[in-house]
Amino acid sequence: MRIEHNFALNVTKIVSEELLKYGINIEIGFSSFKVDENNKYWVEISAIAKKNNAIDTVKTIYSAAELKEADYLRLLPTWQYGYPMPTEDNQYLQETYNLDKYCEICGCGLVQSSPFKLLGEPKWGKKQVLQMYWICDEFFVHTTLWENLFMNLGIEAIPVVNYKTGKSLETLVQLQIPNIDSEINLVSHKYTICSSCGRKKFIPHTRGLFPYPLNETELNIFKPCNYFGSGNSAHKIILVSSQLYKELSSLNVKGISFAACDKIK
């Protein structure tokens, strides 16, 4: 695996010239560049970024062997499309979720009670999986992919409603992903505790192998009970089995990526 940083910063002529010494050719103005920690000039480049208050987004790039050998993998989106409707004053929350256990301070406790609404059919192109903006713990798939793969694995679907007509969309369904009571191994991870509801919320994990689930399960896709996020935003992560990963990879499904979980210890 390798650790990749995406630095975004305001680049002056001086900063541009400094970075160019280390092979980073970047335009003047607010710009961004990517660099791996294994770059021979990592220490110098990262020092320049830090000195200039760069926004640092960290990502782990896994090898094919690490992904193939993992018993569980985190499912991640590479394509986001559309907003849950209605967006005005976040009214979609009231129309989509049971809010009895929801905390407005930390964002934990949402329980879906009704189908999501979208303005219309996605413009799929070659993609087959998406996440809606703002909805970080649900995945939506092309109906053909659900029928050909997920349905055969016993993974149910929830209709997605056309906000304009009230009818179910023809090409899009939501995967019904089970919530489980088991946690993932987050012993050494930082977290915050909500001052209002007392729930624990972990800082997003971006470096190295993803924490493993503490208990094995026969489910091919599931949500452990831990919350992640910051501020008033919270979500659960989605894990898939090695079997489902291999099925999706063999079909070359577009719109998703994976993070390998550490082995269960």
Side-chain angles (χ1 to χ4, degrees):
M1 75 180 73
R2 54 189 178 87
I3 308 300
E4 179 186 83
H5 293 252
N6 184 29
F7 289 119
L9 70 164
N10 187 31
V11 180
T12 63
K13 182 179 179 181
I14 293 175
V15 172
S16 177
E17 291 172 349
E18 286 182 329
L19 289 170
L20 190 58
K21 295 177 185 177
Y22 304 110
I24 305 296
N25 190 357
I26 189 170
E27 294 182 359
I28 294 174
F30 191 80
S31 301
S32 64
F33 65 93
K34 295 179 180 179
V35 62
D36 290 352
E37 289 185 3
N38 60 6
N39 186 297
K40 64 180 180 180
Y41 298 122
W42 163 249
V43 173
E44 292 85 354
I45 294 170
S46 59
I48 294 170
K50 183 177 181 180
K51 181 176 67 175
N52 289 278
N53 300 313
I55 300 168
D56 182 11
T57 304
V58 183
K59 179 181 180 181
T60 301
I61 311 295
Y62 300 91
S63 69
E66 287 166 334
L67 295 171
K68 184 178 179 180
E69 293 170 5
D71 295 322
Y72 297 97
L73 304 95
R74 183 183 178 188
L75 186 63
L76 294 161
T78 60
W79 186 41
Q80 291 179 302
Y81 180 92
Y83 292 87
M85 302 299 293
T87 56
E88 186 175 356
D89 297 324
N90 289 333
Q91 192 177 340
Y92 75 93
L93 290 173
Q94 289 77 20
E95 296 197 13
T96 312
Y97 295 99
N98 180 324
L99 302 180
D100 290 348
K101 297 181 180 180
Y102 173 59
C103 176
E104 294 184 353
I105 302 300
C106 69
C108 296
L110 289 172
V111 178
Q112 186 176 347
S113 56
S114 299
F116 281 93
K117 302 179 182 73
L118 196 63
L119 280 176
E121 302 285 351
K123 298 176 181 178
W124 289 102
K126 294 183 179 181
K127 302 180 184 72
Q128 297 156 283
V129 183
L130 64 84
Q131 268 195 347
M132 289 186 195
Y133 289 102
W134 305 345
I135 310 300
C136 298
D137 47 13
E138 303 294 345
F139 277 90
F140 303 81
V141 304
H142 197 288
T143 49
T144 302
L145 180 62
W146 178 72
E147 292 167 355
N148 292 339
L149 175 60
F150 292 101
M151 183 175 67
N152 296 331
L153 293 173
I155 299 167
E156 298 184 9
I158 303 171
V160 179
V161 174
N162 186 316
Y163 182 61
K164 296 177 181 178
T165 67
K167 297 180 180 179
S168 296
L169 295 174
E170 295 181 0
T171 67
L172 181 70
V173 293
Q174 176 191 351
L175 294 179
Q176 187 167 324
I177 304 172
N179 289 277
I180 65 171
D181 291 332
S182 180
E183 299 185 1
I184 56 178
N185 181 35
L186 294 167
V187 174
S188 60
H189 285 65
K190 295 180 180 180
Y191 60 86
T192 59
I193 295 178
C194 180
S195 59
S196 177
C197 70
R199 288 186 180 97
K200 185 183 293 185
K201 187 166 61 175
F202 289 87
I203 305 301
H205 179 94
T206 58
R207 295 180 61 92
L209 292 170
F210 200 79
Y212 58 87
L214 291 175
N215 299 103
E216 294 188 63
T217 175
E218 294 183 357
L219 294 170
N220 280 305
I221 188 168
F222 58 96
K223 299 178 194 175
C225 61
N226 310 90
Y227 283 102
F228 290 81
S230 60
N232 65 352
S233 175
H235 65 274
K236 295 180 178 180
I237 57 96
I238 296 166
L239 298 184
V240 300
S241 66
S242 176
Q243 177 189 354
L244 181 51
Y245 161 72
K246 290 172 183 175
E247 295 269 10
L248 290 164
S249 297
S250 67
L251 294 172
N252 196 26
V253 171
K254 305 294 186 184
I256 50 175
S257 65
F258 300 90
C261 289
D262 201 357
K263 292 288 185 181
I264 293 179
K265 297 178 174 64

